[in-house]
PDB file of all heavy atoms in Angstrom:
ATOM      1  N   GLY A 151      79.130  63.211  79.161  1.00  0.00           N
ATOM      2  CA  GLY A 151      80.497  62.935  79.441  1.00  0.00           C
ATOM      3  C   GLY A 151      81.368  63.364  78.428  1.00  0.00           C
ATOM      4  O   GLY A 151      80.879  63.972  77.424  1.00  0.00           O
ATOM      5  N   GLU A 152      82.770  63.380  78.644  1.00  0.00           N
ATOM      6  CA  GLU A 152      83.725  63.794  77.706  1.00  0.00           C
ATOM      7  C   GLU A 152      84.527  62.652  77.048  1.00  0.00           C
ATOM      8  O   GLU A 152      84.948  61.738  77.857  1.00  0.00           O
ATOM      9  CB  GLU A 152      84.716  64.691  78.262  1.00  0.00           C
ATOM     10  CG  GLU A 152      84.135  66.046  78.593  1.00  0.00           C
ATOM     11  CD  GLU A 152      85.125  67.023  79.313  1.00  0.00           C
ATOM     12  OE1 GLU A 152      86.394  66.817  79.186  1.00  0.00           O
ATOM     13  OE2 GLU A 152      84.649  67.983  79.796  1.00  0.00           O
ATOM     14  N   THR A 153      84.597  62.433  75.855  1.00  0.00           N
ATOM     15  CA  THR A 153      85.395  61.307  75.176  1.00  0.00           C
ATOM     16  C   THR A 153      86.689  61.225  75.927  1.00  0.00           C
ATOM     17  O   THR A 153      87.047  60.054  76.444  1.00  0.00           O
ATOM     18  CB  THR A 153      85.603  61.563  73.760  1.00  0.00           C
ATOM     19  OG1 THR A 153      84.353  61.920  73.123  1.00  0.00           O
ATOM     20  CG2 THR A 153      86.119  60.235  72.982  1.00  0.00           C
ATOM     21  N   ILE A 154      87.604  62.224  75.847  1.00  0.00           N
ATOM     22  CA  ILE A 154      88.855  62.249  76.670  1.00  0.00           C
ATOM     23  C   ILE A 154      88.724  63.453  77.516  1.00  0.00           C
ATOM     24  O   ILE A 154      88.492  64.602  77.099  1.00  0.00           O
ATOM     25  CB  ILE A 154      90.115  62.347  75.778  1.00  0.00           C
ATOM     26  CG1 ILE A 154      90.139  61.327  74.530  1.00  0.00           C
ATOM     27  CG2 ILE A 154      91.327  62.437  76.605  1.00  0.00           C
ATOM     28  CD1 ILE A 154      91.200  61.538  73.615  1.00  0.00           C
ATOM     29  N   ALA A 155      88.616  63.199  78.852  1.00  0.00           N
ATOM     30  CA  ALA A 155      88.452  64.449  79.698  1.00  0.00           C
ATOM     31  C   ALA A 155      89.500  65.401  79.859  1.00  0.00           C
ATOM     32  O   ALA A 155      90.643  64.942  79.857  1.00  0.00           O
ATOM     33  CB  ALA A 155      87.951  63.804  81.054  1.00  0.00           C
ATOM     34  N   THR A 160      90.803  60.858  81.391  1.00  0.00           N
ATOM     35  CA  THR A 160      90.111  59.581  81.337  1.00  0.00           C
ATOM     36  C   THR A 160      89.305  59.391  80.072  1.00  0.00           C
ATOM     37  O   THR A 160      88.926  60.321  79.437  1.00  0.00           O
ATOM     38  CB  THR A 160      88.953  59.761  82.598  1.00  0.00           C
ATOM     39  OG1 THR A 160      88.317  60.961  82.375  1.00  0.00           O
ATOM     40  CG2 THR A 160      89.731  59.823  83.822  1.00  0.00           C
ATOM     41  N   VAL A 161      89.345  58.219  79.647  1.00  0.00           N
ATOM     42  CA  VAL A 161      88.551  57.868  78.519  1.00  0.00           C
ATOM     43  C   VAL A 161      87.207  57.362  78.847  1.00  0.00           C
ATOM     44  O   VAL A 161      87.055  56.456  79.639  1.00  0.00           O
ATOM     45  CB  VAL A 161      89.343  56.846  77.601  1.00  0.00           C
ATOM     46  CG1 VAL A 161      88.711  56.436  76.338  1.00  0.00           C
ATOM     47  CG2 VAL A 161      90.721  57.360  77.304  1.00  0.00           C
ATOM     48  N   LEU A 162      86.186  57.831  78.272  1.00  0.00           N
ATOM     49  CA  LEU A 162      84.738  57.558  78.607  1.00  0.00           C
ATOM     50  C   LEU A 162      84.463  56.257  77.885  1.00  0.00           C
ATOM     51  O   LEU A 162      84.762  56.122  76.670  1.00  0.00           O
ATOM     52  CB  LEU A 162      83.911  58.653  78.117  1.00  0.00           C
ATOM     53  CG  LEU A 162      82.430  58.524  78.544  1.00  0.00           C
ATOM     54  CD1 LEU A 162      82.260  58.855  79.969  1.00  0.00           C
ATOM     55  CD2 LEU A 162      81.488  59.485  77.745  1.00  0.00           C
ATOM     56  N   ILE A 164      82.012  55.016  76.211  1.00  0.00           N
ATOM     57  CA  ILE A 164      80.935  55.635  75.611  1.00  0.00           C
ATOM     58  C   ILE A 164      79.668  54.664  75.488  1.00  0.00           C
ATOM     59  O   ILE A 164      78.486  54.848  75.678  1.00  0.00           O
ATOM     60  CB  ILE A 164      81.233  56.094  74.085  1.00  0.00           C
ATOM     61  CG1 ILE A 164      82.187  57.204  74.223  1.00  0.00           C
ATOM     62  CG2 ILE A 164      79.865  56.741  73.413  1.00  0.00           C
ATOM     63  CD1 ILE A 164      82.713  57.826  72.964  1.00  0.00           C
ATOM     64  N   VAL A 180      77.980  63.724  74.388  1.00  0.00           N
ATOM     65  CA  VAL A 180      79.406  63.624  74.519  1.00  0.00           C
ATOM     66  C   VAL A 180      80.219  64.781  74.111  1.00  0.00           C
ATOM     67  O   VAL A 180      79.941  65.279  72.853  1.00  0.00           O
ATOM     68  CB  VAL A 180      79.915  62.363  73.784  1.00  0.00           C
ATOM     69  CG1 VAL A 180      81.373  62.230  73.793  1.00  0.00           C
ATOM     70  CG2 VAL A 180      79.312  61.112  74.496  1.00  0.00           C
ATOM     71  N   ASP A 181      80.957  65.355  74.920  1.00  0.00           N
ATOM     72  CA  ASP A 181      81.794  66.574  74.546  1.00  0.00           C
ATOM     73  C   ASP A 181      83.203  65.800  73.960  1.00  0.00           C
ATOM     74  O   ASP A 181      83.872  65.190  74.563  1.00  0.00           O
ATOM     75  CB  ASP A 181      82.258  67.272  75.850  1.00  0.00           C
ATOM     76  CG  ASP A 181      83.201  68.442  75.534  1.00  0.00           C
ATOM     77  OD1 ASP A 181      84.008  68.294  74.582  1.00  0.00           O
ATOM     78  OD2 ASP A 181      83.189  69.400  76.346  1.00  0.00           O
ATOM     79  N   ASN A 182      83.197  66.052  72.576  1.00  0.00           N
ATOM     80  CA  ASN A 182      84.314  65.199  71.796  1.00  0.00           C
ATOM     81  C   ASN A 182      85.401  66.250  71.505  1.00  0.00           C
ATOM     82  O   ASN A 182      86.137  65.979  70.477  1.00  0.00           O
ATOM     83  CB  ASN A 182      83.701  64.808  70.546  1.00  0.00           C
ATOM     84  CG  ASN A 182      84.486  63.692  69.783  1.00  0.00           C
ATOM     85  OD1 ASN A 182      85.209  62.851  70.610  1.00  0.00           O
ATOM     86  ND2 ASN A 182      84.422  63.582  68.560  1.00  0.00           N
ATOM     87  N   THR A 183      85.572  67.244  72.348  1.00  0.00           N
ATOM     88  CA  THR A 183      86.640  68.335  71.965  1.00  0.00           C
ATOM     89  C   THR A 183      88.024  67.707  71.796  1.00  0.00           C
ATOM     90  O   THR A 183      88.722  68.070  70.830  1.00  0.00           O
ATOM     91  CB  THR A 183      86.641  69.304  73.111  1.00  0.00           C
ATOM     92  OG1 THR A 183      85.352  69.941  73.192  1.00  0.00           O
ATOM     93  CG2 THR A 183      87.711  70.366  72.868  1.00  0.00           C
ATOM     94  N   ALA A 185      89.194  64.527  71.450  1.00  0.00           N
ATOM     95  CA  ALA A 185      89.439  63.461  70.542  1.00  0.00           C
ATOM     96  C   ALA A 185      89.344  63.953  69.080  1.00  0.00           C
ATOM     97  O   ALA A 185      90.132  63.661  68.172  1.00  0.00           O
ATOM     98  CB  ALA A 185      88.536  62.275  70.677  1.00  0.00           C
ATOM     99  N   CYS A 190      87.831  60.016  67.083  1.00  0.00           N
ATOM    100  CA  CYS A 190      86.721  59.320  67.609  1.00  0.00           C
ATOM    101  C   CYS A 190      85.506  59.934  67.114  1.00  0.00           C
ATOM    102  O   CYS A 190      85.284  61.048  67.022  1.00  0.00           O
ATOM    103  CB  CYS A 190      86.704  59.253  69.165  1.00  0.00           C
ATOM    104  SG  CYS A 190      85.348  58.361  69.791  1.00  0.00           S
ATOM    105  N   PRO A 192      81.809  59.588  68.354  1.00  0.00           N
ATOM    106  CA  PRO A 192      80.999  58.998  69.377  1.00  0.00           C
ATOM    107  C   PRO A 192      79.711  58.381  68.911  1.00  0.00           C
ATOM    108  O   PRO A 192      79.122  57.375  69.575  1.00  0.00           O
ATOM    109  CB  PRO A 192      80.761  60.173  70.320  1.00  0.00           C
ATOM    110  CG  PRO A 192      81.899  61.084  70.005  1.00  0.00           C
ATOM    111  CD  PRO A 192      82.232  60.899  68.614  1.00  0.00           C
ATOM    112  N   LEU A 335      89.775  54.887  70.454  1.00  0.00           N
ATOM    113  CA  LEU A 335      90.725  55.932  69.810  1.00  0.00           C
ATOM    114  C   LEU A 335      91.851  55.190  69.174  1.00  0.00           C
ATOM    115  O   LEU A 335      93.039  55.384  69.550  1.00  0.00           O
ATOM    116  CB  LEU A 335      91.252  56.863  70.997  1.00  0.00           C
ATOM    117  CG  LEU A 335      90.262  57.530  71.838  1.00  0.00           C
ATOM    118  CD1 LEU A 335      90.676  57.892  73.211  1.00  0.00           C
ATOM    119  CD2 LEU A 335      89.891  58.779  71.040  1.00  0.00           C
TER     120      LEU A 335
END
Side-chain angles (χ1 to χ4, degrees):
E152 287 178 21
T153 312
I154 305 172
T160 48
V161 178
L162 190 72
I164 299 173
V180 171
D181 180 336
N182 198 32
T183 297
C190 180
L335 304 152

